[in-house]
Every structure is written in C-alpha cells, then in structure tokens.
Amino acid sequence: MALADGNTPADLSGYRRLTVELGNDNECGVSFRLFDKNDYWTKPATYDFGQTRRVVVDLQQMKDTDGNRVDPSHLYIVGFWSTGGKPIVISSMKLE
C-alpha cells in the first residue's frame, strides 16, 4: 500500500502509536512494514504478527533490521508482507 501519491510521504510524527489488527489467524507469516525511504528495497521497520492478530507500533521508536531509526515524519510505504497461501484479512488500523 503506497501512501499519498507514492512520491509524497505521509507524516505520522504527530502520533504515538499505530495499532494493526488482523481479522483472521496468521497462517502465512504476516508482518507489517513501514519504510521512510521511497524504495521498497531499503530496510523497513518490521513487526511480525507471530501467533497473534495484533501489532502495536511505537511510531517514535521504530528501527530497521540494522537498528537505524525509521523516521515517522516521512513514511513512503506502509504495508503487509507474507509467505503466501492464506489471505490477509485486515480488521483495523488505528492511530493514537
């Protein structure tokens, strides 16, 4: 899912948390990813659902897999990744 027009980032720096809930069991290795660069091949902040249906992202403390800060003031890509198989059902996404 691209934010805005794909070239203009979304600014979520005024929010503390983003809560994402699935509407079905995670049977396909679902993770939620946020990119602060306009390039899908960069390293995002990644949140694995594991055996739960919910992830809570602290927008002010996001880090990529190398431990570098992911900046919520300019998010270009926010989306889901999975190993495939079962569909991903999104129940809700809430900003606080």
Side-chain angles (χ1 to χ4, degrees):
M1 164 176 86
L3 297 173
D5 64 9
N7 293 314
T8 305
D11 181 358
L12 299 185
S13 63
Y15 296 95
R16 225 172 13 127
R17 264 189 302 248
L18 172 60
T19 302
V20 181
E21 294 193 40
L22 298 177
N24 61 340
D25 288 336
N26 179 11
E27 297 178 6
C28 57
V30 179
S31 67
F32 185 66
R33 299 179 179 204
L34 301 99
F35 297 78
D36 64 354
K37 294 173 185 63
N38 196 8
D39 182 352
Y40 188 76
W41 300 109
T42 60
K43 295 184 178 188
T46 301
Y47 299 87
D48 294 323
F49 282 89
Q51 299 301 312
T52 68
R53 290 187 177 195
R54 180 179 185 209
V55 294
V56 178
V57 177
D58 181 336
L59 293 167
Q60 306 306 317
Q61 300 297 319
M62 293 186 295
K63 303 227 185 262
D64 68 17
T65 55
D66 289 337
N68 299 311
R69 183 174 185 272
V70 174
D71 190 341
S73 73
H74 56 275
L75 295 171
Y76 287 94
I77 304 166
V78 175
F80 296 85
W81 179 91
S82 80
T83 57
K86 300 276 185 171
I88 299 170
V89 177
I90 303 165
S91 176
S92 66
M93 296 177 74
K94 299 177 186 172
L95 284 166
E96 297 177 53

